[in-house]
Amino acid sequence: MGIRQLRTLIEIAETGSFQAAAEKLGLTHSAISMQIKSLEDELQTELFDRTRRPPDLNPTGIRLLGKAQEIINLYDSLSEAGSKAGDLSGLLRLGAIPSATSSFLPEVLARLGQGHPRLNVRLESGLSTELTRELIQGKLDCIIITEAQRLDEALKITKLREERLVVIAQKNSGNEKISRKKDGDIALLSQLPFVRFNHLTGVGRVIEQSLKNRGANLREAMELDSLEAIQRMVAKGLGAAIVPENSLEDRTNLLVRPFGKPSATRTVSLVEKHRGQRPDLTGLLATTLNDVLHS
């Protein structure tokens, strides 16, 4: 049984088929099939239900998948044994929401690289719900997300910061006048088409609940996954939106007003398993995040 076979098994499970795994690994379909057949022969059991198309992992394969991931995690951390004192090494699999990757995370990763050149960070960007699922499945070591109301008890949460939510609209005299009214933030949102951030995301749920609490009746124009795209739409006069203030990169053509009094906020947190594979690396990340965000 080799590391390559176990990596192939994991890749098939993640991509959903032998063909997709072959394409991602740069191998032929037959090479992937041979690796899995060799693994099954060695274990003297079948790992896939081949009556399905594409084949699915059977109960034995699912049990092996968890063990395979543990073995790969340990294998990837072997380089730590040869590290100098204080120089951490190995692979940190990090997931982060897009707004983190475009704001504070580049500085964090740069500092990690300077202080620990043997450390390899593999970054995956995604929505909070998707990243949380991958963390629980063991595909990621830690994630930076908009904290959900309920998380698995096996997960440890470290609050990074509160981010104020703001209403944005195109900067012009008409919108300026509306924003000076009582509850000007809701007045802006009611007057213009609403450009919504994906309601399934953590911040999307915070926004939706806040609007419901205030009885807002909005004309929804579009729903997008990208905060950058939302800001560009709004700057072109296509509507108004609610976004985290820290996500604003260019305010030149934007009218920005707090959302609510006091302002509604979202919580950005670092989440990991209580018994994670690399507590040394996640601890280092948490310390560096704190330094960057509070310096």
Side-chain angles (χ1 to χ4, degrees), residues 102-154:
S102 62
S103 54
F104 58 83
L105 201 49
E107 174 63 23
V108 170
L109 297 182
R111 293 194 187 188
L112 287 176
Q114 292 167 2
H116 304 273
R118 290 161 55 87
L119 173 61
N120 179 28
V121 180
R122 188 172 71 200
L123 176 63
E124 176 180 332
S125 180
L127 303 181
S128 296
T129 50
E130 299 169 352
L131 296 176
T132 301
R133 182 170 59 250
E134 293 194 16
L135 175 64
I136 293 173
Q137 293 173 347
K139 298 176 183 178
L140 295 171
D141 297 310
C142 56
I143 55 178
I144 298 172
I145 62 170
T146 300
E147 185 178 322
Q149 293 181 347
R150 296 180 181 179
L151 285 176
D152 192 287
E153 292 182 356

Side-chain angles (χ1 to χ4, degrees), residues 246-261:
N246 296 87
S247 71
L248 297 177
E249 297 180 0
D250 183 3
R251 302 188 181 206
T252 306
N253 296 317
L254 292 177
L255 174 66
V256 182
R257 293 291 182 267
F259 177 50
K261 295 179 181 180

Side-chain angles (χ1 to χ4, degrees), residues 76-95:
D76 288 340
S77 68
L78 282 176
S79 59
E80 180 188 1
S83 300
K84 298 177 181 178
D87 178 17
L88 294 180
S89 64
L91 175 65
L92 175 65
R93 302 166 302 164
L94 171 63

